[in-house]
Amino acid sequence: MTPAIRLVQGDITRQRADAIVNAANSSLLGGGGVDGAIHRRGGPAILQECRALRASRYGKGLPTGQAVATTAGELDARWVIHTVGPVHSATEDRSHLLASCYRESLRVADDLGARTVAFPAISTGVYRWPLPDAARIAVATVRATDTRVEEVVFVLFDERSYAAFAAAAG
């Protein structure tokens, strides 16, 4: 099934969804941007589960393009799905890794039974992925992924990001 796609300009930590996707760093221990905001607003339960994941399955960190879920803590969601986006490179095509973030997050959402998933614009902040290309990859990947998720909400922080995703969504 192809999920319905909706765009929202705003703060992903204020969204109501079964699962909120975190543009995490590989340490899973919080950071800047979306990652830091989700950890701050979601509270210590998220960090506690991330530490447990690091102590068990992901001792070296979560690999780029993969996804894993934790509690959502105090967020208005049941789960946070953490995925590590690639750093943009002008000399190496890493678009398959960015697409994998969306595909793997939807796979994890399916495993959890999530019906609504909120995504940020993965890799477009400090990882410097150009917005038009990131939006194209995100929308195309969600549309091409067979999932039981009924609705994907792209939560875009500013007008520029919203415009890029609106153009990609057609």
Side-chain angles (χ1 to χ4, degrees):
M1 173 171 88
T2 301
I5 292 177
R6 190 164 53 92
L7 307 179
V8 172
Q9 185 179 330
D11 179 349
I12 197 164
T13 69
R14 303 283 182 180
Q15 292 301 304
R16 177 180 302 216
D18 292 336
I20 292 175
V21 176
N22 180 18
N25 64 50
S26 64
S27 77
L28 295 175
L29 302 179
V34 170
D35 194 18
I38 284 175
H39 276 271
R40 280 189 302 277
R41 183 150 175 86
I46 297 171
L47 182 58
Q48 182 178 352
E49 285 194 25
C50 284
R51 283 188 175 137
L53 286 167
R54 284 297 305 272
S56 61
R57 298 188 350 226
Y58 300 105
K60 294 182 180 179
L62 183 64
T64 301
Q66 297 301 302
V68 65
T70 65
T71 181
E74 298 172 28
L75 297 171
D76 199 2
R78 293 182 64 191
W79 304 282
V80 170
I81 299 172
H82 306 266
T83 190
V84 180
V87 174
H88 183 262
S89 170
T91 59
E92 177 187 351
D93 182 7
R94 298 178 180 165
S95 56
H96 66 285
L97 291 170
L98 184 55
S100 181
C101 290
Y102 291 96
R103 252 192 324 277
E104 287 298 305
S105 294
L106 290 171
R107 182 191 57 75
V108 170
D110 281 345
D111 290 347
L112 295 168
R115 293 292 177 249
T116 57
V117 177
F119 278 101
I122 298 168
S123 287
T124 63
V126 296
Y127 290 179
R128 300 180 313 278
W129 205 286
L131 262 169
D133 193 46
R136 178 189 58 76
I137 292 167
V139 170
T141 302
V142 166
R143 285 182 173 154
T145 301
D146 185 30
T147 180
R148 290 184 306 281
V149 171
E150 295 168 4
E151 181 182 55
V152 164
V153 181
F154 287 109
V155 184
L156 296 317
F157 189 71
D158 57 21
E159 288 180 28
R160 190 171 148 261
S161 300
Y162 185 93
F165 274 74

